[in-house]
Amino acid sequence: MKKDAYVIEDAWAKLGRATPARIALGRAGAGLPTREVLRFALAHARARDAVHSPFDPEAMARDVTGLGFETVAVTSAAPAREAYLRRPDLGRRLSEEGRAALAPFAGTALDLAIVIADGLSSTAAHAQAPAFLAAFKARIAEEGWSTGPAVIASEARVALGDEVGEILGARAVVVLIGERPGLSSPDSLGLYLTFAPKVGRTDAERNCISNVRGAGLSHEHAAFKLAWLLKEALARRLTGVSLKDESDLLLVAGHPPAPRIG
């Protein structure tokens, strides 16, 4: 008989190996084991770094231009990161300089305006946005959608895309934005799709695809979902709570996301 035949494994330990969530941490006296305290401190530091690390719009422009997109850089009305964090309303509107940068492209009647924003995690924007666009580019070509320049927005929140889309005359806008970092996901990208963008749209009028990252939703799968939602949005002339994401029904029917090209 094996020496551990009478050892019964803690069921929580088995669950702990199947998820990044903080469960089955153990105990050292009345507190947590030192290793778990250190793991928590590291995760918290990574989350703070994701929020405060500077966004590099020039590097983003190089990455996006390399994919074949024209780019234009804009800033929100938030003059600095501290103001952006304390005044969410400023991050929802373009600065005067931002509106001036978009003026040459105004009213170009696009199918889709693409906005890449730092949001609450510049780490996520840099890590995920170019890779996602590389996957979504094939979908754009397949459907023949017009996109115009990719707008790279600093100190931006989701609603800033409404003003961008309205200026460009886009039928829809998608905002690729760094999501608020969790303690296990400092690099998660969100995709927010809004039909007929204009200043004053509410969150109920958007569709969101979240957790786009290596340990979450893959870039290819996210591109598949966004393409499905955009097709439906343009056909039904709406997004938000009235448009349910049923793209996974195609996966059940045997239509997997196409592999990334390039």
Side-chain angles (χ1 to χ4, degrees):
M1 181 177 294
K2 295 181 179 179
K3 64 179 180 180
D4 59 350
Y6 296 103
V7 175
I8 300 174
E9 183 180 21
D10 182 358
W12 281 100
K14 183 177 180 180
L15 291 172
R17 291 193 293 270
T19 175
R22 283 177 165 73
I23 63 173
L25 301 183
R27 184 175 65 183
L32 290 171
T34 300
R35 67 176 181 278
E36 296 301 335
V37 174
L38 295 176
R39 285 182 62 230
F40 181 88
L42 176 61
H44 187 255
R46 285 173 173 165
R48 288 178 61 88
D49 284 349
V51 172
H52 293 285
S53 293
F55 184 53
D56 189 341
E58 283 117 10
M60 182 66 75
R62 288 194 297 271
D63 290 341
V64 175
T65 300
L67 296 172
F69 292 90
E70 185 180 0
T71 64
V72 57
V74 301
T75 57
S76 77
R81 196 63 173 173
E82 182 178 0
Y84 170 82
L85 295 174
R86 293 178 181 273
R87 291 281 306 275
D89 57 309
L90 295 179
R92 299 184 182 118
R93 296 300 301 269
L94 287 164
S95 64
E96 290 295 334
E97 295 81 5
R99 283 188 283 273
L102 291 179
F105 307 97
T108 46
L110 309 171
D111 290 320
L112 179 67
I114 298 173
V115 179
I116 304 167
D118 49 0
L120 287 169
S121 175
S122 60
T123 298
H126 283 293
Q128 313 301 342
F132 167 77
L133 277 180
F136 189 57
K137 181 181 176 182
R139 303 286 178 178
I140 294 172
E142 181 182 351
E143 298 296 332
W145 289 319
S146 57
T147 59
V151 179
I152 299 172
S154 301
E155 311 296 1
R157 295 188 182 264
V158 172
L160 183 134
D162 298 334
E163 189 172 7
V164 170
E166 186 174 17
I167 290 172
L168 296 181
R171 297 174 67 194
V173 62
V174 62
V175 180
L176 285 54
I177 190 167
E179 294 184 315
R180 180 183 293 109
L183 290 176
S184 61
S185 55
D187 60 344
S188 179
L189 188 75
L191 316 174
Y192 290 82
L193 178 67
T194 309
F195 179 76
K198 62 181 180 179
V199 173
R201 287 292 190 204
T202 68
D203 289 341
E205 296 173 290
R206 316 185 198 286
N207 286 89
C208 174
I209 301 170
S210 64
N211 198 32
V212 180
R213 62 191 184 102
L217 189 68
S218 72
H219 303 123
E220 290 75 19
H221 197 166
F224 169 77
K225 282 181 167 293
L226 180 59
W228 187 93
L229 283 169
L230 180 56
K231 282 192 290 186
E232 294 298 317
L234 297 179
R236 303 187 201 184
R237 302 180 61 79
L238 54 82
T239 45
V241 295
S242 297
L243 178 58
K244 305 302 180 185
D245 181 3
E246 298 175 340
S247 61
D248 286 344
L249 295 178
L250 292 178
L251 300 181
V252 174
H255 299 278
R260 185 169 61 193
I261 299 174

